[in-house]
Amino acid sequence: MKRELRVHPIRNGTVIDHIAPGQALNVLKILGIVGTSDAVVSAVMNVQSKKMPTKDIVKVEDRELKPHEVDKIALIAPLATINIIRDYKVSKKDKVILPDAVAGVVRCANPNCISNTHEPVISKFTIDKSQSQIRLRCVYCERTISEDIAEHLL
Ligand SMILES: [Zn+2]
């Protein structure tokens, strides 16, 4: 017998698969799906996966993601795959690509950083992917962020 299907297939939209476990709600936040959104969304958390011990999956109907949303998802779920569904078929499947640097995506954790003052300075971080955990380094004050990156997303 086939294993129970936890999430119904969608006709059109996006399936974000291989999200690091526990990050599904942060992915929804990145997509602006909070509170009284009328988006049709399903999320499953901590399901078994072949590629990783457990994973989260988010399906959003009738919506394809914008590049800046994909960049943000890459920061909190670097193994995520983005599947575009058209007429029940996967029409495009992409891994998220972690950029070498991001601008205007993350707020610096240092309250005295020039990017946190009233100066018109956009936050900029370089991304160190050499460790198992992603590390962001502010180009202005060198403060690093490696945990709870989702909390710092703008
Ligand atoms: Zn800074």
Side-chain angles (χ1 to χ4, degrees), residues 79-149:
L79 300 176
T81 47
I82 311 270
N83 302 282
I84 309 289
I85 312 294
R86 291 182 187 138
D87 209 16
Y88 295 109
K89 293 196 193 85
V90 177
S91 81
K92 215 165 144 239
K93 185 171 186 143
D94 283 316
K95 287 199 168 119
V96 297
I97 296 168
L98 198 57
D100 294 319
V102 285
V105 169
V106 175
R107 183 184 299 281
C108 184
N110 170 6
N112 298 321
C113 178
I114 189 166
S115 68
N116 279 329
T117 62
H118 293 294
E119 303 293 325
V121 174
I122 296 171
S123 77
K124 277 192 195 126
F125 288 83
T126 55
I127 299 176
D128 176 3
K129 332 171 201 184
S130 60
Q131 323 271 323
S132 63
Q133 190 170 32
I134 295 168
R135 194 143 67 164
L136 305 179
R137 181 183 297 275
C138 177
V139 301
Y140 304 111
C141 72
E142 308 223 309
R143 179 78 68 98
T144 60
I145 302 174
S146 56
E147 278 168 27
D148 299 328
I149 291 171

Side-chain angles (χ1 to χ4, degrees), residues 14-73:
T14 304
V15 176
I16 307 155
D17 198 356
H18 301 107
I19 299 169
Q23 294 293 345
L25 295 178
N26 287 326
V27 168
L28 294 179
K29 211 191 286 174
I30 289 168
L31 300 179
I33 299 167
V34 282
T36 56
S37 159
D38 57 4
V40 180
V41 174
S42 32
V44 290
M45 291 180 241
N46 300 309
V47 291
Q48 290 188 329
S49 165
K50 286 186 193 117
K51 286 194 206 164
M52 48 211 280
T54 60
K55 64 178 181 179
D56 290 1
I57 306 170
V58 168
K59 299 193 179 194
V60 190
E61 289 188 34
D62 297 320
R63 164 123 178 232
E64 298 186 5
L65 306 190
K66 299 180 185 78
H68 75 270
E69 295 172 328
V70 176
D71 282 352
K72 285 186 181 180
I73 291 169

